[in-house]
């Protein structure tokens, strides 16, 4: 007889809380012993300072321009590369609207800053806490994924706990916490969006559509490239369920409407702050120009990015400074012009290198060294994460096979690696940009571990004895 679901849930949540505490201990220990006191890298500096400015009532202001003024070019590019101009003459404290990154992580850190926790260490510990909550959400996703073929409630619990336990110690999921990167929040939002997508794929309804649209909006407001996930999922569900595709249109349109409504405040703010249409962020031009230049099409940085490819900084027709959206538009044209002149090499050489860097099959140790120089990751811990990654990927592939054979909702999981690969193709390969797929790798690996445990239990279970028919009272010895 199946055990009551209520009792199982209580056990699941208590054990998941223990795993969450383990995850918090790992992350806090890492922050206090490895990253404490280190200078924040580029994006980490941006998020930390932007959060402080937002908490101080300045709004979403470019933190580099505010802190350094025009001297930011000297700080980031070096005095020998900075070209004197009206932009370099801007004073410190210059207020310039920014949409360089989506707002979710900045808003969260600003809320912490409003509470008086304004130091780098406070923001690092906030990232550790958020990353631990992400581990709990990974466990919830694992349990939901297993429910599709469970016969006993404790089987759901097993997959969820294994997934959370793996996530708690997988270095690729916590190395960004000490650098105040948005990846700390990415773990939670990817698991949440995946959870909602799995529920929608199993039973499309208004409720699951609203939840999926809201989760997708939060994901896009955390990382701009996640905006493609829900459209990819919608297209996949329609193509793979041709017999019932018309019944999917209503819920999918509802999810899209929720997504648009929740993104609209940020988009409206951007339209008021800039003269150009800015959907989620202003970073596409910077990415294009820094990823498409001689330094990234040849040599040791093949498939990667180069900061100096963005020079000289764009100026207006009269040499006047441009706002962030205008600069990004100029840089976008530069990048597209370079692509137009190097199409063959882009397709034949550069894109494979980008994908190889993202998935740690092209010179992975060199990539880890770039991570040390550019984003400040600890090299030894990065090697640990690489070793864990190589161990988990085969298990994740096996877990995907398990889901496929049991006719479960595989698309919500597989489309995160697809999104990661699209990011590599259109931008460049970098370890931390793989983190959404690292969440999926952990969950699928847990499914493989669960299938292995189930197989071992079946093999070790004693064979059932065939029951004999009951003997009739008037037949001595049971003869018929």
């Amino acid at each position: 007889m199946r055990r009551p679901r209520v009792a199982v849930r209580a056990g699941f949540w208590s054990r998941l809380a223990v795993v969450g505490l383990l995850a918090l201990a790992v992350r806090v220990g890492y922050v206090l012993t490895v990253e404490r006191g280190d200078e924040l890298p580029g994006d980490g500096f941006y998020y930390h300072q932007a959060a402080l400015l937002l908490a101080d009532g300045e709004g979403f202001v470019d933190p580099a321009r505010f802190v350094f003024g025009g001297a930011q070019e000297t700080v980031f590019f070096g005095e020998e590369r900075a070209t004197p101009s009206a932009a370099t003459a801007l004073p410190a404290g210059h207020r310039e609207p920014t949409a360089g990154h989506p707002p979710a992580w900045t808003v969260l850190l600003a809320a912490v800053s409003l509470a008086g926790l304004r130091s780098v260490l406070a923001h690092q510990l906030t990232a550790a806490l958020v990353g631990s909550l992400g581990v709990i959400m990974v466990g919830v996703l694992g349990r939901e994924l297993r429910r599709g073929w469970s016969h006993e409630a404790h089987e759901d619990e097993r997959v969820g706990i294994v997934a959370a336990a793996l996530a708690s110690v997988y270095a690729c999921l916590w190395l960004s916490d000490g650098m105040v990167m948005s990846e700390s929040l990415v773990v939670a939002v990817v698991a949440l969006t995946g959870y909602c997508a799995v529920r929608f794929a199993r039973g499309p309804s208004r409720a699951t559509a609203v939840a999926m649209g809201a989760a997708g909006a939060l994901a896009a407001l955390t990382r701009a490239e996640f905006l493609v996930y829900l459209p990819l999922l919608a297209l996949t569900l329609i193509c793979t369920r041709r017999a019932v595709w018309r019944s999917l249109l209503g819920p999918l349109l509802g999810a899209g409407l929720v997504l648009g409504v929740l993104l609209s405040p940020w988009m409206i703010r951007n339209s008021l702050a800039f003269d150009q249409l800015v959907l989620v962020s202003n970073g596409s031009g910077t990415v294009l120009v820094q990823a498409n230049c001689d330094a990234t099409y040849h040599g040791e940085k093949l498939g990667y990015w180069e900061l100096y490819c963005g020079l000289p900084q764009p100026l207006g027709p009269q040499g006047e400074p441009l706002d962030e959206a205008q600069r990004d538009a100029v840089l976008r044209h530069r990048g597209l012009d370079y692509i137009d002149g190097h199409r063959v090499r882009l397709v034949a050489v550069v894109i494979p290198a980008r994908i190889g860097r993202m998935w740690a099959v092209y010179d992975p140790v060199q990539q880890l060294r770039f991570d040390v120089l550019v984003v400040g990751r600890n090299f030894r811990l990065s090697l640990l994460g690489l070793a864990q990654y190589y161990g988990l990927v085969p298990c994740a592939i096996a877990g995907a096979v398990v889901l496929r054979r049991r006719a479960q909702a595989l698309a919500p999981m597989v489309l995160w690696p697809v999104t990661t690969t699209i990011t590599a193709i259109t931008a460049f390969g970098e370890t931390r940009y793989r983190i959404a797929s690292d969440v999926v790798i952990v969950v699928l690996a847990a499914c493989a571990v669960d299938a292995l445990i189930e197989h071992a239990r079946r093999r070790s279970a004693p064979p059932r004895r065939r029951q004999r028919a009951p003997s009739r009272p008037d037949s001595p010895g049971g003869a018929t």
Side-chain angles (χ1 to χ4, degrees):
M1 183 176 179
R2 190 167 181 170
R3 290 189 299 171
R5 176 70 69 176
V6 173
V8 174
R9 283 182 176 174
F12 171 77
W13 286 110
S14 61
R15 283 191 253 185
L16 187 60
V18 172
V19 176
L21 291 175
L22 169 64
L24 182 61
V26 170
R27 285 153 175 78
V28 171
Y30 160 65
V31 167
L32 295 180
T33 61
V34 178
E35 295 295 340
R36 183 178 185 178
D38 287 354
E39 184 177 353
L40 292 177
D43 282 355
F45 169 85
Y46 177 99
Y47 286 118
H48 173 66
Q49 294 292 340
L52 295 180
L53 290 169
L54 182 60
D56 291 340
E58 298 288 348
F60 291 94
V61 175
D62 184 342
R65 294 274 191 184
F66 186 88
V67 174
F68 301 112
Q72 67 161 332
E73 292 196 21
T74 302
V75 173
F76 293 126
F77 300 119
E79 189 172 353
E80 69 282 0
R81 294 181 182 268
T83 303
S85 65
T88 60
L90 293 173
H94 176 72
R95 291 168 175 80
E96 182 176 302
T98 184
H101 292 284
W105 184 232
T106 301
V107 170
L108 193 154
L109 291 177
V112 173
S113 302
L114 280 173
L117 304 174
R118 299 172 58 91
S119 67
V120 171
L121 179 60
H123 285 179
Q124 289 174 322
L125 294 176
T126 299
L129 176 60
V130 171
S132 303
L133 295 176
V135 168
I136 292 176
M137 195 63 229
V138 167
V140 174
L141 171 59
R143 181 182 66 164
E144 184 61 35
L145 200 61
R146 182 63 167 85
R147 278 182 171 175
W149 74 90
S150 289
H151 300 292
E152 297 291 340
H154 68 84
E155 294 173 348
D156 305 340
E157 175 183 329
R158 183 173 63 213
V159 176
I161 296 301
V162 171
L166 292 174
S168 67
V169 297
Y170 183 28
C172 291
L173 296 185
W174 47 260
L175 276 171
S176 296
D177 293 347
M179 293 167 281
V180 197
M181 299 287 196
S182 62
E183 281 74 19
S184 301
L185 182 58
V186 166
V187 176
V189 299
V190 166
L192 175 62
T193 307
Y195 169 83
C196 295
V198 168
R199 291 181 63 88
F200 179 87
R202 288 206 184 116
S205 65
R206 291 182 180 179
T208 55
V210 168
M212 185 174 69
L218 178 59
L221 290 172
T222 303
R223 290 291 295 271
E225 64 267 28
F226 294 165
L227 188 60
V228 306
Y229 175 78
L230 288 190
L232 284 175
L233 180 63
L235 181 62
T236 302
L237 292 178
I238 290 174
C239 292
T240 56
R241 301 184 183 185
R242 296 178 182 177
V244 295
W245 69 271
R246 287 183 177 85
S247 64
L248 290 171
L249 289 180
L252 287 174
L253 289 174
L257 178 62
V258 172
L259 175 69
V261 168
L262 294 180
L263 290 179
S264 60
W266 178 243
M267 295 169 61
I268 292 171
R269 176 265 172 191
N270 291 340
S271 68
L272 296 175
F274 307 104
D275 293 333
Q276 303 180 32
L277 177 65
V278 178
L279 294 178
V280 180
S281 76
N282 269 326
S284 62
T286 301
V287 169
L288 276 176
V289 76
Q290 292 180 350
N292 296 278
C293 58
D294 289 343
T296 62
Y297 277 51
H298 306 272
E300 66 174 5
K301 290 194 173 181
L302 176 66
Y304 195 53
W305 66 282
E306 174 55 70
L307 178 68
Y308 304 127
C309 289
L311 296 176
Q313 288 287 293
L315 296 171
Q318 307 300 323
E320 72 275 14
L322 300 176
D323 67 26
E324 187 179 76
Q326 294 169 333
R327 294 196 304 271
D328 200 62
V330 174
L331 294 176
R332 188 182 307 113
H333 285 300
R334 284 188 200 169
L336 292 175
D337 287 344
Y338 189 91
I339 290 173
D340 189 56
H342 301 81
R343 294 179 183 178
V344 175
R345 185 164 182 82
L346 171 66
V347 175
V349 179
V350 178
I351 287 179
R354 290 173 178 175
I355 297 173
R357 285 190 183 279
M358 187 74 82
W359 293 105
V361 294
Y362 174 73
D363 210 344
V365 175
Q366 182 204 55
Q367 182 60 46
L368 296 187
R369 296 190 185 281
F370 286 157
D371 293 341
V372 173
L373 294 173
V374 176
V375 300
R377 285 194 173 196
N378 180 277
F379 183 69
R380 291 184 179 180
L381 292 178
S382 296
L383 284 176
L384 170 64
L386 182 64
Q388 292 172 324
Y389 167 77
Y390 285 147
L392 286 171
V393 166
C395 297
I397 295 173
V401 172
V402 170
L403 291 180
R404 177 68 176 173
R405 288 181 176 178
R406 294 178 178 178
Q408 296 304 306
L410 187 57
M413 297 290 98
V414 172
L415 288 177
W416 284 115
V418 171
T419 302
T420 297
T421 303
I422 291 174
T423 302
I425 292 172
T426 56
F428 50 85
E430 185 164 330
T431 307
R432 68 188 181 99
Y433 288 173
R434 197 187 63 224
I435 192 165
S437 295
D438 285 324
V439 172
V440 173
I441 287 169
V442 164
V443 176
L444 293 180
C447 291
V449 171
D450 169 74
L452 186 62
I453 293 173
E454 186 178 6
H455 177 71
R457 287 184 175 180
R458 287 178 178 176
R459 287 180 63 95
S460 62
R464 295 181 179 178
R465 294 183 179 180
R466 187 175 180 179
Q467 293 183 353
R468 298 177 59 185
S471 59
R472 294 173 60 180
D474 56 346
S475 302
T480 60

